[in-house]
Coordinates of all heavy atoms in Angstrom, one line a residue:
M194 N -63.7 27.6 73.3 CA -62.8 27.9 72.1 C -61.7 28.9 72.5 O -60.6 28.8 72.0 CB -63.7 28.4 71.0 CG -63.0 28.4 69.7 SD -62.5 26.8 69.2 CE -61.9 27.1 67.6
L195 N -62.1 29.9 73.3 CA -61.2 30.9 73.7 C -60.0 30.3 74.5 O -58.9 30.7 74.4 CB -61.9 32.0 74.4 CG -61.1 33.3 74.6 CD1 -60.7 33.9 73.2 CD2 -62.0 34.3 75.3
S196 N -60.4 29.3 75.4 CA -59.3 28.7 76.2 C -58.3 28.0 75.4 O -57.1 27.9 75.7 CB -60.0 27.8 77.3 OG -60.6 26.8 76.6
L197 N -58.8 27.3 74.3 CA -57.9 26.7 73.4 C -56.9 27.7 72.7 O -55.7 27.4 72.6 CB -58.6 25.9 72.3 CG -57.8 25.2 71.2 CD1 -57.0 24.1 71.8 CD2 -58.7 24.7 70.1
F198 N -57.4 28.8 72.3 CA -56.6 29.9 71.8 C -55.5 30.3 72.8 O -54.3 30.5 72.4 CB -57.4 31.1 71.3 CG -56.6 32.2 70.9 CD1 -55.9 32.2 69.7 CD2 -56.6 33.4 71.7 CE1 -55.2 33.4 69.3 CE2 -55.8 34.5 71.4 CZ -55.1 34.5 70.2
Y199 N -55.9 30.6 74.0 CA -55.0 31.0 75.0 C -53.9 29.9 75.4 O -52.8 30.2 75.6 CB -55.7 31.4 76.3 CG -56.4 32.8 76.2 CD1 -57.7 32.9 76.7 CD2 -55.8 33.8 75.6 CE1 -58.3 34.2 76.6 CE2 -56.4 35.1 75.4 CZ -57.7 35.2 75.9 OH -58.3 36.4 75.8
S200 N -54.4 28.7 75.3 CA -53.4 27.6 75.6 C -52.4 27.5 74.5 O -51.2 27.4 74.7 CB -54.2 26.2 75.6 OG -55.1 26.2 76.7
L201 N -52.8 27.6 73.2 CA -51.8 27.6 72.1 C -50.9 28.8 72.1 O -49.7 28.7 71.9 CB -52.6 27.5 70.8 CG -53.3 26.2 70.5 CD1 -54.1 26.3 69.2 CD2 -52.3 25.1 70.5
L202 N -51.5 30.0 72.5 CA -50.7 31.2 72.6 C -49.6 31.1 73.7 O -48.5 31.5 73.4 CB -51.6 32.4 72.8 CG -50.9 33.8 72.9 CD1 -50.3 34.1 71.6 CD2 -51.9 34.8 73.4
S203 N -50.0 30.5 74.8 CA -49.0 30.4 75.9 C -47.9 29.4 75.5 O -46.7 29.6 75.8 CB -49.7 30.0 77.2 OG -50.2 28.7 77.0
V204 N -48.2 28.3 74.8 CA -47.2 27.4 74.3 C -46.3 28.1 73.3 O -45.0 27.9 73.4 CB -47.9 26.1 73.7 CG1 -46.9 25.3 73.0 CG2 -48.6 25.3 74.8
I205 N -46.8 28.9 72.4 CA -46.0 29.6 71.5 C -45.1 30.6 72.1 O -43.9 30.7 71.8 CB -46.9 30.2 70.4 CG1 -47.5 29.2 69.5 CG2 -46.1 31.2 69.5 CD1 -48.6 29.7 68.6
V206 N -45.6 31.3 73.1 CA -44.8 32.3 73.8 C -43.7 31.6 74.6 O -42.5 32.1 74.5 CB -45.7 33.2 74.7 CG1 -44.8 34.0 75.7 CG2 -46.6 34.1 73.9
V207 N -43.9 30.6 75.3 CA -42.9 29.9 76.0 C -41.9 29.2 75.1 O -40.7 29.3 75.4 CB -43.6 28.8 77.0 CG1 -42.5 27.9 77.6 CG2 -44.3 29.5 78.1
S208 N -42.3 28.7 74.0 CA -41.4 28.1 73.0 C -40.4 29.2 72.4 O -39.2 28.9 72.3 CB -42.2 27.5 71.9 OG -43.0 26.4 72.4
V209 N -41.0 30.3 72.1 CA -40.1 31.4 71.6 C -39.1 31.9 72.6 O -38.0 32.1 72.4 CB -41.0 32.6 71.1 CG1 -40.2 33.8 70.8 CG2 -41.7 32.2 69.8
F210 N -39.6 32.0 73.9 CA -38.7 32.3 75.0 C -37.6 31.3 75.2 O -36.4 31.6 75.4 CB -39.5 32.5 76.3 CG -38.6 32.8 77.5 CD1 -38.0 34.0 77.7 CD2 -38.4 31.8 78.4 CE1 -37.2 34.2 78.8 CE2 -37.6 32.0 79.5 CZ -37.0 33.2 79.7
A211 N -38.0 30.0 75.1 CA -37.0 29.0 75.3 C -36.0 28.9 74.2 O -34.8 28.6 74.4 CB -37.7 27.6 75.4
L212 N -36.4 29.3 73.0 CA -35.4 29.3 71.9 C -34.5 30.5 71.9 O -33.5 30.5 71.3 CB -36.2 29.2 70.6 CG -36.9 27.8 70.3 CD1 -37.7 27.9 69.0 CD2 -35.8 26.7 70.2
S213 N -35.0 31.6 72.5 CA -34.2 32.8 72.5 C -33.2 33.0 73.6 O -32.3 33.8 73.5 CB -35.2 34.0 72.5 OG -35.8 34.1 73.8
V214 N -33.3 32.2 74.7 CA -32.3 32.3 75.8 C -31.1 31.4 75.5 O -31.1 30.5 74.7 CB -32.9 31.9 77.1 CG1 -34.1 32.8 77.5 CG2 -33.3 30.5 77.1
N215 N -30.0 31.8 76.1 CA -28.8 31.0 75.9 C -28.9 29.6 76.6 O -29.8 29.4 77.4 CB -27.5 31.7 76.4 CG -27.5 32.0 77.8 OD1 -28.4 31.6 78.6 ND2 -26.6 32.8 78.3
E216 N -28.0 28.7 76.3 CA -28.1 27.3 76.8 C -27.9 27.2 78.3 O -28.6 26.4 78.9 CB -27.1 26.5 76.0 CG -27.3 25.0 76.2 CD -26.3 24.2 75.4 OE1 -25.8 24.7 74.4 OE2 -26.1 23.0 75.7
D217 N -27.0 28.0 78.9 CA -26.8 27.9 80.3 C -28.0 28.3 81.1 O -28.4 27.6 82.0 CB -25.6 28.8 80.7 CG -25.3 28.6 82.1 OD1 -25.2 27.5 82.6 OD2 -25.0 29.7 82.8
L218 N -28.7 29.4 80.7 CA -29.9 29.8 81.3 C -31.0 28.8 81.1 O -31.8 28.6 82.1 CB -30.3 31.2 80.8 CG -31.5 31.8 81.4 CD1 -31.3 32.1 82.9 CD2 -31.9 33.1 80.8
L219 N -31.1 28.2 80.0 CA -32.1 27.2 79.7 C -32.0 26.0 80.6 O -32.9 25.5 81.1 CB -32.1 26.8 78.2 CG -33.2 25.9 77.8 CD1 -34.6 26.5 78.0 CD2 -33.0 25.5 76.4
H220 N -30.7 25.6 80.8 CA -30.5 24.4 81.7 C -30.9 24.8 83.2 O -31.4 24.0 83.9 CB -29.0 24.0 81.7 CG -28.7 23.2 80.5 ND1 -29.2 21.9 80.3 CD2 -27.9 23.4 79.4 CE1 -28.8 21.4 79.2 NE2 -28.0 22.4 78.6
R221 N -30.6 26.0 83.6 CA -31.1 26.4 84.9 C -32.6 26.5 85.1 O -33.1 26.1 86.1 CB -30.5 27.8 85.3 CG -29.0 27.7 85.5 CD -28.4 29.1 85.8 NE -27.0 29.0 85.9 CZ -26.2 30.0 86.3 NH1 -26.8 31.1 86.6 NH2 -24.9 29.9 86.3
I222 N -33.2 27.0 84.0 CA -34.7 27.0 84.0 C -35.3 25.6 84.1 O -36.2 25.3 84.8 CB -35.2 27.8 82.8 CG1 -34.9 29.3 83.0 CG2 -36.7 27.7 82.7 CD1 -35.2 30.1 81.8
L223 N -34.7 24.7 83.2 CA -35.2 23.3 83.2 C -34.9 22.6 84.5 O -35.7 21.8 84.9 CB -34.5 22.6 82.1 CG -35.0 22.9 80.7 CD1 -34.2 22.1 79.6 CD2 -36.4 22.6 80.5
F224 N -33.8 22.9 85.2 CA -33.6 22.3 86.5 C -34.7 22.7 87.5 O -35.2 21.8 88.2 CB -32.2 22.8 87.1 CG -32.0 22.3 88.5 CD1 -31.7 21.0 88.8 CD2 -32.1 23.2 89.5 CE1 -31.6 20.6 90.1 CE2 -32.0 22.8 90.8 CZ -31.7 21.5 91.1
F225 N -35.1 24.0 87.5 CA -36.2 24.4 88.4 C -37.5 23.8 88.0 O -38.4 23.5 88.8 CB -36.2 25.9 88.5 CG -35.1 26.5 89.3 CD1 -34.2 27.3 88.8 CD2 -35.0 26.2 90.7 CE1 -33.1 27.8 89.5 CE2 -34.0 26.7 91.5 CZ -33.0 27.5 90.9
A226 N -37.7 23.6 86.7 CA -38.9 23.0 86.2 C -39.0 21.5 86.6 O -40.0 21.1 87.1 CB -39.0 23.1 84.7
W227 N -37.8 20.8 86.5 CA -37.8 19.4 87.0 C -38.0 19.4 88.5 O -38.7 18.5 89.0 CB -36.5 18.8 86.7 CG -36.2 18.6 85.2 CD1 -37.1 18.5 84.2 CD2 -35.0 18.6 84.5 NE1 -36.5 18.4 83.0 CE2 -35.2 18.5 83.2 CE3 -33.6 18.8 85.0 CZ2 -34.2 18.4 82.2 CZ3 -32.6 18.7 84.1 CH2 -32.9 18.5 82.7
F228 N -37.4 20.3 89.2 CA -37.6 20.3 90.7 C -39.0 20.6 91.1 O -39.5 19.9 92.0 CB -36.6 21.4 91.3 CG -36.7 21.4 92.8 CD1 -36.1 20.4 93.5 CD2 -37.4 22.4 93.4 CE1 -36.1 20.4 94.9 CE2 -37.4 22.4 94.8 CZ -36.8 21.4 95.5
S229 N -39.6 21.5 90.4 CA -41.0 21.8 90.8 C -42.0 20.7 90.4 O -42.9 20.3 91.1 CB -41.5 23.1 90.1 OG -41.5 23.0 88.7
G230 N -41.7 20.0 89.3 CA -42.5 18.8 88.9 C -42.3 17.7 89.9 O -43.3 17.0 90.3
G231 N -41.1 17.5 90.3 CA -40.9 16.4 91.4 C -41.5 16.8 92.7 O -42.0 15.9 93.4
S232 N -41.5 18.1 93.0 CA -42.2 18.5 94.3 C -43.7 18.3 94.2 O -44.3 17.9 95.2 CB -41.9 20.0 94.5 OG -40.5 20.2 94.7
I233 N -44.2 18.6 93.1 CA -45.7 18.4 92.9 C -46.0 16.9 93.0 O -47.0 16.5 93.7 CB -46.2 19.0 91.6 CG1 -46.1 20.5 91.6 CG2 -47.6 18.5 91.2 CD1 -46.4 21.2 90.3
L234 N -45.2 16.1 92.4 CA -45.5 14.6 92.5 C -45.3 14.1 93.9 O -46.1 13.3 94.4 CB -44.6 13.8 91.6 CG -44.9 13.9 90.1 CD1 -43.8 13.2 89.3 CD2 -46.2 13.4 89.8
G235 N -44.3 14.6 94.6 CA -44.1 14.2 96.0 C -45.2 14.6 96.9 O -45.7 13.9 97.7
V236 N -45.7 15.9 96.7 CA -46.8 16.3 97.5 C -48.1 15.5 97.2 O -48.8 15.2 98.1 CB -47.1 17.8 97.3 CG1 -48.4 18.3 97.8 CG2 -46.0 18.7 97.9
A237 N -48.3 15.2 96.0 CA -49.5 14.4 95.6 C -49.4 13.0 96.3 O -50.4 12.5 96.8 CB -49.6 14.2 94.1
F238 N -48.2 12.4 96.2 CA -48.1 11.0 96.8 C -48.2 11.1 98.4 O -48.9 10.3 99.0 CB -46.8 10.4 96.4 CG -46.9 9.6 95.1 CD1 -46.2 10.1 94.0 CD2 -47.7 8.5 95.0 CE1 -46.3 9.4 92.9 CE2 -47.8 7.8 93.8 CZ -47.1 8.3 92.7
L239 N -47.6 12.1 98.9 CA -47.8 12.3 100.4 C -49.2 12.6 100.8 O -49.6 12.2 101.9 CB -46.8 13.3 100.9 CG -45.3 12.9 101.0 CD1 -44.5 14.1 101.4 CD2 -45.1 11.8 101.9
D240 N -49.9 13.3 100.0 CA -51.3 13.6 100.3 C -52.2 12.3 100.1 O -53.1 12.2 100.9 CB -51.8 14.7 99.3 CG -53.2 15.2 99.7 OD1 -53.4 15.4 100.9 OD2 -54.0 15.5 98.8
L241 N -51.8 11.5 99.2 CA -52.6 10.2 99.0 C -52.3 9.1 100.0 O -53.0 8.1 100.1 CB -52.5 9.8 97.6 CG -53.2 10.7 96.5 CD1 -52.9 10.1 95.1 CD2 -54.7 10.8 96.7
L242 N -51.1 9.2 100.6 CA -50.6 8.1 101.5 C -51.6 7.8 102.6 O -51.9 6.6 102.8 CB -49.3 8.5 102.0 CG -48.5 7.4 102.7 CD1 -48.3 6.2 101.8 CD2 -47.2 7.9 103.2
P243 N -52.1 8.7 103.4 CA -53.1 8.3 104.5 C -54.3 7.7 103.9 O -54.9 6.8 104.5 CB -53.4 9.7 105.2 CG -52.3 10.6 104.8 CD -51.8 10.2 103.5
E244 N -54.8 8.2 102.8 CA -56.0 7.6 102.2 C -55.7 6.2 101.7 O -56.6 5.3 101.8 CB -56.5 8.5 101.0 CG -57.8 8.1 100.4 CD -58.3 9.0 99.4 OE1 -57.8 10.2 99.4 OE2 -59.1 8.6 98.6
A245 N -54.6 5.9 101.2 CA -54.2 4.6 100.8 C -54.2 3.6 102.0 O -54.6 2.5 101.9 CB -52.9 4.5 100.0
I246 N -53.6 4.1 103.1 CA -53.6 3.3 104.3 C -55.0 3.0 104.8 O -55.3 1.9 105.2 CB -52.7 3.9 105.3 CG1 -51.3 3.9 104.8 CG2 -52.8 3.2 106.7 CD1 -50.3 4.7 105.7
E247 N -55.9 4.0 104.8 CA -57.2 3.8 105.2 C -58.0 2.8 104.3 O -58.7 2.0 104.7 CB -58.0 5.1 105.2 CG -57.6 6.1 106.3 CD -58.4 7.4 106.2 OE1 -59.3 7.5 105.4 OE2 -58.0 8.3 107.0
L248 N -57.8 2.9 103.0 CA -58.4 2.0 102.0 C -57.9 0.6 102.3 O -58.6 -0.4 102.2 CB -58.1 2.4 100.6 CG -59.0 3.6 100.1 CD1 -58.5 3.9 98.7 CD2 -60.4 3.2 100.1
G249 N -56.6 0.5 102.6 CA -56.0 -0.9 102.9 C -56.7 -1.5 104.1 O -56.9 -2.7 104.1
V250 N -56.9 -0.7 105.1 CA -57.5 -1.2 106.3 C -59.0 -1.5 106.1 O -59.5 -2.5 106.6 CB -57.4 -0.2 107.5 CG1 -58.2 -0.5 108.7 CG2 -55.9 0.0 107.8
V251 N -59.7 -0.7 105.3 CA -61.1 -0.9 105.1 C -61.3 -2.2 104.3 O -62.2 -3.0 104.6 CB -61.8 0.3 104.3 CG1 -63.1 0.0 103.8 CG2 -61.8 1.5 105.2
F252 N -60.5 -2.4 103.2 CA -60.7 -3.6 102.4 C -60.0 -4.8 103.0 O -60.0 -5.9 102.4 CB -60.2 -3.3 101.0 CG -61.0 -2.3 100.2 CD1 -60.5 -1.2 99.7 CD2 -62.4 -2.6 100.0 CE1 -61.2 -0.3 98.9 CE2 -63.1 -1.7 99.3 CZ -62.6 -0.6 98.8
G253 N -59.3 -4.6 104.1 CA -58.7 -5.8 104.7 C -57.4 -6.2 104.0 O -56.9 -7.3 104.2
S254 N -56.8 -5.3 103.3 CA -55.6 -5.6 102.5 C -54.6 -4.5 102.8 O -54.7 -3.4 102.2 CB -55.9 -5.7 101.0 OG -54.8 -5.8 100.3
E255 N -53.7 -4.8 103.6 CA -52.6 -3.9 103.9 C -51.5 -3.9 102.7 O -50.6 -3.1 102.6 CB -51.9 -4.1 105.2 CG -52.7 -3.7 106.4 CD -53.8 -4.7 106.8 OE1 -53.7 -5.9 106.3 OE2 -54.7 -4.4 107.5
V256 N -51.7 -4.9 101.9 CA -50.8 -5.1 100.7 C -50.9 -3.9 99.8 O -49.9 -3.4 99.3 CB -51.1 -6.4 100.0 CG1 -50.2 -6.5 98.7 CG2 -50.9 -7.6 100.9
F257 N -52.1 -3.4 99.6 CA -52.3 -2.2 98.8 C -51.5 -1.0 99.3 O -50.8 -0.3 98.5 CB -53.8 -1.9 98.7 CG -54.1 -0.6 97.9 CD1 -54.0 -0.6 96.5 CD2 -54.5 0.5 98.5 CE1 -54.2 0.5 95.7 CE2 -54.7 1.7 97.8 CZ -54.6 1.7 96.4
A258 N -51.6 -0.8 100.6 CA -50.9 0.3 101.2 C -49.4 0.1 101.1 O -48.6 1.0 100.8 CB -51.3 0.5 102.6
F259 N -48.9 -1.1 101.3 CA -47.5 -1.4 101.2 C -47.0 -1.2 99.8 O -45.9 -0.6 99.6 CB -47.2 -2.9 101.6 CG -45.8 -3.3 101.4 CD1 -44.8 -2.8 102.3 CD2 -45.4 -4.1 100.4 CE1 -43.5 -3.1 102.1 CE2 -44.1 -4.5 100.2 CZ -43.2 -4.0 101.1
I260 N -47.8 -1.6 98.8 CA -47.3 -1.4 97.4 C -47.3 0.1 97.1 O -46.4 0.6 96.4 CB -48.3 -2.1 96.4 CG1 -48.0 -3.6 96.5 CG2 -48.1 -1.7 95.0 CD1 -49.0 -4.5 95.8
F261 N -48.3 0.9 97.6 CA -48.3 2.3 97.3 C -47.1 3.0 98.0 O -46.4 3.8 97.3 CB -49.6 2.9 97.9 CG -49.8 4.4 97.6 CD1 -50.3 4.8 96.4 CD2 -49.4 5.3 98.6 CE1 -50.4 6.1 96.1 CE2 -49.6 6.7 98.3 CZ -50.1 7.0 97.1
I262 N -46.8 2.6 99.2 CA -45.6 3.2 99.9 C -44.3 2.8 99.1 O -43.4 3.6 98.9 CB -45.5 2.7 101.3 CG1 -46.7 3.4 102.1 CG2 -44.2 3.1 102.0 CD1 -46.9 2.8 103.5
L263 N -44.2 1.6 98.7 CA -43.0 1.1 98.0 C -42.9 1.9 96.6 O -41.8 2.3 96.3 CB -43.2 -0.4 97.7 CG -41.9 -1.1 97.2 CD1 -40.8 -1.0 98.2 CD2 -42.2 -2.5 96.8
T264 N -44.0 2.1 95.9 CA -44.0 2.9 94.7 C -43.5 4.3 95.0 O -42.7 4.9 94.2 CB -45.4 2.9 94.0 OG1 -45.8 1.5 93.8 CG2 -45.3 3.6 92.7
F265 N -44.0 4.9 96.0 CA -43.6 6.3 96.4 C -42.1 6.3 96.7 O -41.4 7.2 96.2 CB -44.4 6.8 97.6 CG -43.9 8.1 98.1 CD1 -44.1 9.2 97.4 CD2 -43.2 8.1 99.3 CE1 -43.7 10.4 97.9 CE2 -42.7 9.3 99.8 CZ -43.0 10.5 99.1
C266 N -41.6 5.4 97.4 CA -40.2 5.4 97.7 C -39.3 5.2 96.5 O -38.3 5.8 96.3 CB -39.9 4.3 98.7 SG -40.5 4.7 100.4
F267 N -39.8 4.3 95.6 CA -39.1 4.2 94.3 C -39.1 5.4 93.5 O -38.0 5.8 92.9 CB -39.7 3.0 93.5 CG -39.1 2.9 92.1 CD1 -37.9 2.4 91.9 CD2 -39.9 3.3 91.0 CE1 -37.3 2.2 90.7 CE2 -39.3 3.2 89.7 CZ -38.1 2.7 89.6
L268 N -40.2 6.1 93.4 CA -40.3 7.4 92.6 C -39.4 8.4 93.3 O -38.8 9.3 92.6 CB -41.7 7.8 92.4 CG -42.5 6.9 91.5 CD1 -44.0 7.4 91.4 CD2 -41.9 6.9 90.1
L269 N -39.4 8.5 94.6 CA -38.6 9.4 95.3 C -37.1 9.2 95.0 O -36.3 10.1 94.7 CB -38.8 9.4 96.8 CG -38.1 10.4 97.6 CD1 -38.6 11.8 97.4 CD2 -38.3 10.0 99.1
F270 N -36.7 7.9 95.0 CA -35.3 7.5 94.7 C -35.0 7.9 93.2 O -33.9 8.4 92.9 CB -35.1 6.1 94.9 CG -33.7 5.6 94.4 CD1 -32.6 5.9 95.1 CD2 -33.7 4.8 93.3 CE1 -31.4 5.4 94.7 CE2 -32.4 4.4 92.8 CZ -31.3 4.7 93.5
L271 N -35.9 7.6 92.3 CA -35.7 7.9 90.9 C -35.6 9.4 90.7 O -34.7 9.8 89.9 CB -36.9 7.3 90.1 CG -36.8 7.5 88.6 CD1 -35.6 6.6 88.1 CD2 -38.1 7.0 87.9
G272 N -36.4 10.2 91.4 CA -36.3 11.6 91.2 C -35.0 12.2 91.8 O -34.3 13.0 91.1
A273 N -34.5 11.6 92.9 CA -33.2 12.1 93.4 C -32.1 11.6 92.5 O -31.1 12.4 92.3 CB -33.0 11.4 94.8
F274 N -32.2 10.5 91.9 CA -31.2 10.0 91.0 C -31.1 10.9 89.7 O -30.0 11.3 89.3 CB -31.4 8.6 90.5 CG -30.5 8.0 89.6 CD1 -29.2 7.7 89.9 CD2 -30.8 7.9 88.2 CE1 -28.3 7.2 89.0 CE2 -30.0 7.4 87.3 CZ -28.7 7.0 87.7
C275 N -32.3 11.3 89.2 CA -32.3 12.2 88.0 C -31.7 13.5 88.4 O -31.0 14.1 87.5 CB -33.8 12.3 87.5 SG -34.4 10.8 86.8
V276 N -31.9 14.0 89.5 CA -31.4 15.3 89.9 C -29.8 15.2 90.0 O -29.1 16.1 89.5 CB -31.9 15.8 91.3 CG1 -31.1 16.9 91.8 CG2 -33.4 16.2 91.1
L277 N -29.3 14.1 90.6 CA -27.9 13.9 90.7 C -27.3 13.8 89.3 O -26.2 14.3 89.0 CB -27.6 12.7 91.5 CG -27.9 12.9 93.0 CD1 -27.6 11.6 93.7 CD2 -27.0 14.0 93.6
V278 N -28.0 13.1 88.4 CA -27.4 12.9 87.0 C -27.4 14.3 86.3 O -26.5 14.6 85.6 CB -28.3 11.9 86.2 CG1 -28.0 11.9 84.8 CG2 -28.0 10.5 86.8
S279 N -28.5 15.1 86.5 CA -28.5 16.4 85.8 C -27.5 17.3 86.4 O -26.9 18.1 85.6 CB -29.9 17.0 86.0 OG -30.2 17.4 87.3
W280 N -27.1 17.2 87.6 CA -26.0 18.0 88.2 C -24.7 17.6 87.6 O -23.8 18.4 87.4 CB -26.0 17.9 89.7 CG -26.9 18.7 90.4 CD1 -27.7 19.7 89.9 CD2 -27.3 18.6 91.8 NE1 -28.5 20.2 90.8 CE2 -28.3 19.6 92.0 CE3 -26.9 17.9 92.8 CZ2 -28.8 19.8 93.3 CZ3 -27.4 18.1 94.1 CH2 -28.4 19.0 94.3
S281 N -24.5 16.3 87.3 CA -23.2 15.8 86.8 C -23.1 16.3 85.3 O -22.0 16.3 84.8 CB -23.1 14.3 86.8 OG -24.1 13.7 86.0
W282 N -24.2 16.6 84.6 CA -24.1 17.1 83.3 C -23.6 18.5 83.2 O -23.1 19.0 82.2 CB -25.4 17.0 82.6 CG -25.8 15.7 82.2 CD1 -25.1 14.5 82.2 CD2 -27.1 15.2 81.7 NE1 -25.8 13.4 81.8 CE2 -27.0 13.9 81.5 CE3 -28.3 15.9 81.5 CZ2 -28.1 13.1 81.0 CZ3 -29.4 15.2 81.0 CH2 -29.3 13.8 80.8
A283 N -23.8 19.3 84.3 CA -23.5 20.7 84.3 C -22.0 21.0 84.3 O -21.2 20.2 84.4 CB -24.1 21.4 85.5

């Protein structure tokens, strides 16, 4: 129950902070938040890539590994595109 209280308190504090800063600073903070989220997703996919290849070899289906790699490349391209679009808004 206490963790729920702390979770709600942190959301309220961050919301008040986000509403109190000016728009330019908020866009800079959001850019770093998007970048860190993309970095976390990239690390997660790169960490799972060897395991996907091993599972593809064990199950005799390299198609699974190929689809996983193709999905990772698509998400990487999509993330780079979103960063370029967000830079054009500035």
Side-chain angles (χ1 to χ4, degrees):
M194 190 66 175
L195 195 58
S196 63
L197 177 65
F198 171 73
Y199 286 137
S200 299
L201 291 175
L202 181 66
S203 66
V204 168
I205 290 170
V206 168
V207 169
S208 300
V209 168
F210 174 74
L212 291 174
S213 66
V214 298
N215 62 5
E216 190 173 338
D217 185 44
L218 180 63
L219 185 62
H220 282 292
R221 290 182 185 185
I222 291 171
L223 286 177
F224 172 75
F225 286 115
W227 294 331
F228 183 75
S229 64
S232 299
I233 288 172
L234 287 175
V236 166
F238 275 114
L239 285 176
D240 189 40
L241 292 175
L242 188 60
E244 188 173 340
I246 293 172
E247 287 178 10
L248 283 175
V250 170
V251 167
F252 291 124
S254 170
E255 287 81 17
V256 174
F257 176 73
F259 176 73
I260 290 174
F261 185 81
I262 293 169
L263 191 65
T264 304
F265 172 72
C266 292
F267 172 73
L268 290 176
L269 184 67
F270 173 75
L271 184 66
F274 178 74
C275 290
V276 167
L277 290 176
V278 168
S279 69
W280 279 349
S281 66
W282 286 349

